[in-house]
């Protein structure tokens, strides 16, 4: 099973909803977060940058227009726990975060690691 947390507005690049990392980044970029929320955002982002592999297609600005989904495996539970600050920030700012679930691979496989897949 695969899980994706995303907003309710699409990326012009992928034509798919922006994932939770980008949705919260947009709040940060647009100056909508308090000082405390900005600190929490940066700490959470830094944790993921240290602990979640970055798919190689992001190095060229995602020229293949892939999106990532978490795998539903035991190791992923740690990732989901560390997403909690983003869920809290989204709720406070009344930003809808949608949980999509797919029992089958949700597209053509472009990347896979122990926590996630990238598909287009």
């Amino acid at each position: 099973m695969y899980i994706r947390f995303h907003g309710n507005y699409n990326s012009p690049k992928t034509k798919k909803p922006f994932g939770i990392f980008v949705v919260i980044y947009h709040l940060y970029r647009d100056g909508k977060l308090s000082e405390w929320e900005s600190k929490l955002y940066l700490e959470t982002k830094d944790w993921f940058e240290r602990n979640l592999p970055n798919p190689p297609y992001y190095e060229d600005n995602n020229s293949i227009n892939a999106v990532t989904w978490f795998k539903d495996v035991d190791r992923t539970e740690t990732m989901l726990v560390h997403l909690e600050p983003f869920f809290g920030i989204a709720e406070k700012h009344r930003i809808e975060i949608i949980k999509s679930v797919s029992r089958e691979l949700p597209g053509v496989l472009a990347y896979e690691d122990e926590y996630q897949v990238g598909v287009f």
Side-chain angles (χ1 to χ4, degrees):
M1 189 159 59
Y2 304 91
I3 303 166
R4 186 161 194 262
F5 297 97
H6 56 85
N8 63 1
Y9 59 105
N10 288 350
S11 162
K13 183 169 187 60
T14 66
K15 309 297 187 244
K16 301 289 184 190
F18 281 113
I20 189 169
F21 293 98
V22 175
V23 170
I24 302 304
Y25 165 72
H26 287 165
L27 291 172
Y28 174 76
R29 176 198 65 194
D30 296 343
K32 294 182 178 179
L33 301 183
S34 69
E35 184 177 325
W36 180 83
E37 290 169 327
S38 291
K39 183 177 185 281
L40 185 59
Y41 162 75
L42 291 171
E43 288 172 355
T44 302
K45 179 180 82 68
D46 288 346
W47 186 92
F48 277 98
E49 287 176 353
R50 288 189 314 273
N51 292 282
L52 183 65
N54 194 33
Y57 49 80
Y58 288 134
E59 292 174 15
D60 74 350
N61 198 27
N62 194 9
S63 63
I64 63 171
N65 298 329
V67 295
T68 53
W69 290 67
F70 283 110
K71 293 177 174 180
D72 187 18
V73 294
D74 290 340
R75 289 182 297 268
T76 307
E77 187 62 34
T78 300
M79 297 294 162
L80 301 182
V81 167
H82 281 87
L83 271 179
E84 286 298 322
F86 283 1
F87 295 132
I89 290 170
E91 183 176 351
K92 182 175 180 196
H93 290 269
R94 297 187 175 147
I95 302 294
E96 181 181 19
I97 298 296
I98 300 162
K99 178 182 179 180
S100 292
V101 176
S102 178
R103 295 200 185 284
E104 298 178 11
L105 188 64
V108 176
L109 185 65
Y111 172 81
E112 183 172 14
D113 63 43
E114 61 186 310
Y115 303 105
Q116 63 190 336
V117 295
V119 298
F120 58 91

